[in-house]
Amino acid sequence: MYPLKRNRRLRTNEAIRSLVRETIISPNDFLVPLFVVEGNGIKEEIASMPNYYRYSLDLLEHEIKELWKLGLKSVLLFVKVPDNLKDNKGTEALNPDGLMQRAIKTVKNACPEILVMTDVALDPFSSYGHDGIVDNGQIINDDTAEVLAEMSVSHAKAGADFVAPSDMMDGRILTIREALEDEGFINTGIMSYSAKYASAFYGPFRDALDSAPVDMVDVPKDKKTYQMDYANRFEAIRETEMDIDEGADIVMVKPGLCYLDIVREIKNEVDVPVAVYQVSGEYAMLKAAAEKGWLDYDAVMMEQVTAIKRAGADIIASYFAKDVVKIINNI
């Protein structure tokens, strides 16, 4: 005797599958990372990230308008800083006329309604490629946090809606929150990279910004003293809860696919929005496999972003955002 309950009835055709689908992807799920460079007329492909680009400010304006037309309403800005402006303390990061500050203003002038988040870390500005100040072979925590707070205030003054500290220094969220409050930026939000792991998936991103740690004596060769050990799970919950207590409005897990168990753990524990960063290595792997004809790019891309949302992500920072939305909108 066959069972009265047959689960396959709900899989019979696309109409019924769509009707009962539990996880729906929309443009509102995405935060679009954007890389900005000095110059004019520059749309420069990143070699290790095919079909992803660095933009000069004039072409950044065009890109912002295209994103808005697609229904993508939030961006996360990163800047590639010329070597001659880099030092150990990230001095250029505090320049009110610096590239990040001008990029914020460019985006807001092009589309005032778009949400602007900004990367807050020293590595793009550091002559050593680290997220903090280097002293005698160590990354100095508290002095770095003070600089990050100054950076955050500078971004807020330029018009940023959210600052996104990606450094993993202890206590920096409270330091940033207090600095923003003291300057009157009570509505400027903080999206904290709360569970950012010391991952091998960041390589193409560091190519994009020329921000990899330098190979020098008395300079840490990697970021493992501040980014999290990828073998750890409960540590991520502790880090995240501390950031929320210090004033984070949104928390992030980075990278994405290899850390979906962490996403679910955190989602189950906290009551603020959870973001996931689908990082450059994840993007590059799929691009390379698709170029070889080994994977169906569109199908795998949609499966990946759906998995991230299914795991509990409220926000997905992804280099796939435009491609996903074009599929959703049948463009």
Side-chain angles (χ1 to χ4, degrees), residues 30 75 131 157 200 208 223 235 242 282 287 295 303 314:
F30 291 98
V75 297
D131 295 51
K157 288 179 177 178
K223 302 188 178 187
E235 182 185 13
M242 288 173 67
E282 298 171 71
K287 280 288 185 179
L295 292 174
E303 186 174 343
D314 301 290

Side-chain angles (χ1 to χ4, degrees), residues 263-274:
V263 178
R264 176 43 60 186
E265 291 272 9
I266 289 174
K267 183 65 175 176
N268 288 343
E269 293 292 330
V270 307
D271 58 1
V272 302
V274 176

Side-chain angles (χ1 to χ4, degrees), residues 35-37 41-56 59 80 204-205 207-209 283-284 287-288 291 297 323:
F35 300 118
V36 186
V37 293
I42 297 174
K43 182 179 178 182
E44 181 178 54
E45 187 175 34
I46 301 160
S48 54
M49 298 178 66
N51 303 120
Y52 220 82
Y53 302 90
R54 306 179 190 94
Y55 296 95
S56 55
L59 296 188
K80 185 177 185 295
F205 176 92
D207 291 343
L209 294 184
Y283 175 87
K287 280 288 185 179
E291 184 178 313
Y297 175 78
D323 288 347

Side-chain angles (χ1 to χ4, degrees), residues 305-318:
V305 297
T306 302
I308 291 171
K309 186 173 181 181
R310 189 186 66 232
D314 301 290
I315 301 164
I316 306 172
S318 177

